[in-house]
Amino acid sequence: MEEILKTTEDDKLQLAFIFDPNKCIICNACVNACNSAYGGLNWRTLLVFDEGDTKIGVSIACNHCENPLCMKVCPSNAIKKDNMSVVYIDPKECIGCGYCTWACPYEEPKFNKDGVMSKCDFCRQRLMNKQGLPLCVEACPTGALSFGWVDKKEYSAPFLAPYELTRPNLVVRQSKVKVEASPLKTRKEENYWQLLIFTLFSEFALGSLLIPVKGIVPLLLMLIGLIPSILHINRKERFYKVIKNLRTSWLSREVFFSSLSVLSLIFYSLYPSVFTFASSLVLLSLAIISSIMLYILKTIPSWYSPNTAISFLGTAFTSVFPLGYFLTHDYLYLLVAVAFSIAEISVARKDNKLRLTLNSFYLIMVLLSILFPLTSLIAIPGAILSEFIERRRFYENITYYGLPK
């Protein structure tokens, strides 16, 4: 135990789980030991691959990565890393937003009965109190799962997410039988309506700020989007903690800039001036940029795409700028709206025929408005419908890195 508890100045040495699939007898002892001790939360998963006449077992839990994206994205700083590089969660700080689950390509963080995240922490308290090794390791009867300091990681696991995504502290020995499986999976985001409403209405607010309407309009649009978003977190009484990690979490930044933009828009609606307009524009733009960056995750390839940025920005301009043209007859509004609509078409999936059809209809109406300005108003419902359908697809058709089935 003294050897395990040591800290080191050698960055090459890391505590890690070590797994040899050639020794695994698929007894599930590691999973059972973990679940028995920690409330059946399935922090450890035993993957079983049926390769012809042979079954291969691979036991996976948290890999306490060198680059723990879960920790970087956590808005409340609930996920921490100690001096032994053990990544753990402080349950008193977690707000239950679930953002860490998006960032983890091993599907490790799990909600507990209190609505906060939990995960494997190498049985940290057992280690610190010198009570023994992680329970899963002690339960393994064949030595397939072991644990200790390693300086050279063998990641012979093409069926898991690419190593460079998070640089997991995990050793997986080469299996004698090749495993044919992919870590790319698809899913639908649960309870995404609050997120859909917030992203769309905050973008509508940005667009409306740039056309000649009363300052109360972007303020109301922003409030319509922001208030439901609070319902997305499990521990609503801890909502104030969401801005604790402005250093690395785009979710913290999104909430921070969105909240400041609301305050600025209140002043703008009451005291319209160049200063209150400029501050509202800057803060609202930063909020939208933060929203975009929040979803640009390499662990979710369907979001790590130009379509995310173009769609989010496009909503602000295609949905609102035709109204700006109708009110002012300024062709710049049409030019920006057309440019973003074309950009959305260029990055849209070719099988997304409804998106392509609606945007094509939108372009026709916008161009016709040069001759018949009233048709610019007809274009607006088409744009809103297109953005709504695309955003719903965004949340319902997610391709992500996870544990292969």
Side-chain angles (χ1 to χ4, degrees):
M1 284 304 302
E2 296 295 338
E3 181 68 16
I4 292 294
L5 285 173
K6 73 175 183 179
T7 58
T8 177
E9 296 179 359
D10 187 350
D11 291 337
K12 292 182 180 179
L13 284 176
Q14 299 285 337
L15 277 178
F17 283 122
I18 304 157
F19 189 79
D20 187 345
N22 302 300
K23 295 181 180 179
C24 181
I25 58 174
I26 315 180
C27 65
N28 222 46
C30 54
V31 175
N32 292 337
C34 182
N35 280 338
S36 295
Y38 299 108
L41 292 169
N42 292 314
W43 293 345
R44 179 163 289 281
T45 301
L46 180 60
L47 305 174
V48 180
F49 303 101
D50 196 343
E51 300 295 341
D53 297 330
T54 305
K55 287 187 176 181
I56 305 297
V58 178
S59 185
I60 296 291
C62 178
N63 298 314
H64 301 270
C65 305
E66 288 182 42
N67 178 32
L69 294 181
C70 59
M71 184 176 76
K72 290 183 177 180
V73 305
C74 177
S76 62
N77 274 330
I79 303 180
K80 308 176 188 298
K81 197 173 190 178
D82 68 13
N83 58 3
M84 293 193 300
S85 295
V86 177
V87 179
Y88 66 99
I89 296 177
D90 182 347
K92 295 179 181 178
E93 294 297 318
C94 179
I95 62 173
C97 66
Y99 192 16
C100 55
T101 64
W102 293 359
C104 177
Y106 303 101
E107 303 183 72
E108 170 61 13
K110 304 289 194 309
F111 281 117
N112 65 18
K113 60 181 177 60
D114 297 320
V116 299
M117 277 299 169
S118 63
K119 59 179 281 299
C120 159
D121 61 1
F122 277 155
C123 291
R124 185 167 176 263
Q125 291 304 313
R126 282 174 56 81
L127 294 180
M128 301 300 291
N129 294 327
K130 302 181 181 180
Q131 294 173 315
L133 297 175
L135 291 169
C136 55
V137 173
E138 290 192 352
C140 180
T142 65
L145 180 63
S146 55
F147 172 79
W149 292 95
V150 297
D151 60 355
K152 185 177 181 181
K153 287 176 243 175
E154 179 185 347
Y155 192 71
S156 301
F159 47 85
L160 297 178
Y163 174 82
E164 288 302 324
L165 277 182
T166 60
R167 298 196 299 277
N169 286 318
L170 172 68
V171 173
V172 181
R173 305 296 186 197
Q174 181 69 53
S175 171
K176 294 178 181 178
V177 177
K178 185 177 181 181
V179 174
E180 299 286 351
S182 171
L184 284 175
K185 303 168 70 175
T186 58
R187 65 174 174 86
K188 171 183 175 180
E189 179 66 21
E190 299 295 331
N191 302 318
Y192 67 83
W193 285 101
Q194 302 98 325
L195 304 177
L196 183 147
I197 291 170
F198 172 75
T199 55
L200 287 180
F201 276 85
S202 61
E203 291 148 17
F204 294 156
L206 176 60
S208 67
L209 185 62
L210 296 170
I211 67 173
V213 295
K214 296 291 186 180
I216 191 68
V217 174
L219 173 60
L220 289 176
L221 289 170
M222 197 62 189
L223 287 174
I224 290 171
L226 191 58
I227 292 173
S229 67
I230 298 173
L231 302 176
H232 189 69
I233 64 174
N234 288 335
R235 299 303 294 267
K236 297 168 184 58
E237 77 279 8
R238 300 178 182 176
F239 74 92
Y240 61 93
K241 295 178 181 284
V242 75
I243 60 171
K244 289 185 67 174
N245 190 12
L246 292 171
R247 189 173 64 87
T248 64
S249 174
W250 285 106
L251 179 53
S252 283
R253 296 165 186 168
E254 179 193 53
V255 175
F256 178 72
F257 289 124
S258 296
S259 301
L260 288 182
S261 70
V262 168
L263 292 176
S264 184
L265 285 168
I266 291 173
F267 282 105
Y268 177 59
S269 63
L270 295 174
Y271 310 105
S273 67
V274 172
F275 175 76
T276 53
F277 168 79
S279 63
S280 298
L281 179 60
V282 169
L283 290 169
L284 197 45
S285 297
L286 289 172
I288 302 301
I289 291 170
S290 298
S291 288
I292 293 170
M293 295 305 298
L294 189 157
Y295 292 100
I296 301 295
L297 292 167
K298 289 184 178 180
T299 52
I300 304 182
S302 62
W303 291 353
Y304 192 75
S305 159
N307 182 59
T308 299
I310 291 173
S311 175
F312 278 45
L313 290 173
T315 301
F317 304 117
T318 61
S319 301
V320 181
F321 271 27
L323 178 59
Y325 170 73
F326 180 77
L327 295 174
T328 65
H329 296 287
D330 185 341
Y331 290 112
L332 181 60
Y333 286 116
L334 290 188
L335 181 62
V336 173
V338 167
F340 271 97
S341 186
I342 292 174
E344 288 180 343
I345 290 174
S346 69
V347 298
R349 289 176 49 175
K350 301 309 176 186
D351 60 350
N352 193 354
K353 294 182 179 179
L354 186 55
R355 171 77 156 172
L356 298 173
T357 300
L358 287 170
N359 276 45
S360 298
F361 169 79
Y362 173 84
L363 284 174
I364 293 170
M365 291 298 103
V366 168
L367 293 174
L368 278 175
S369 67
I370 297 174
L371 300 175
F372 310 103
L374 193 61
T375 60
S376 63
L377 299 182
I378 300 174
I380 294 173
I384 293 175
L385 181 60
S386 176
E387 301 300 344
F388 172 80
I389 291 172
E390 174 62 19
R391 199 60 52 85
R392 189 175 67 176
R393 184 204 62 79
F394 180 84
Y395 289 114
E396 291 187 353
N397 297 280
I398 300 172
T399 300
Y400 69 104
Y401 283 107
L403 297 180
K405 294 182 179 179

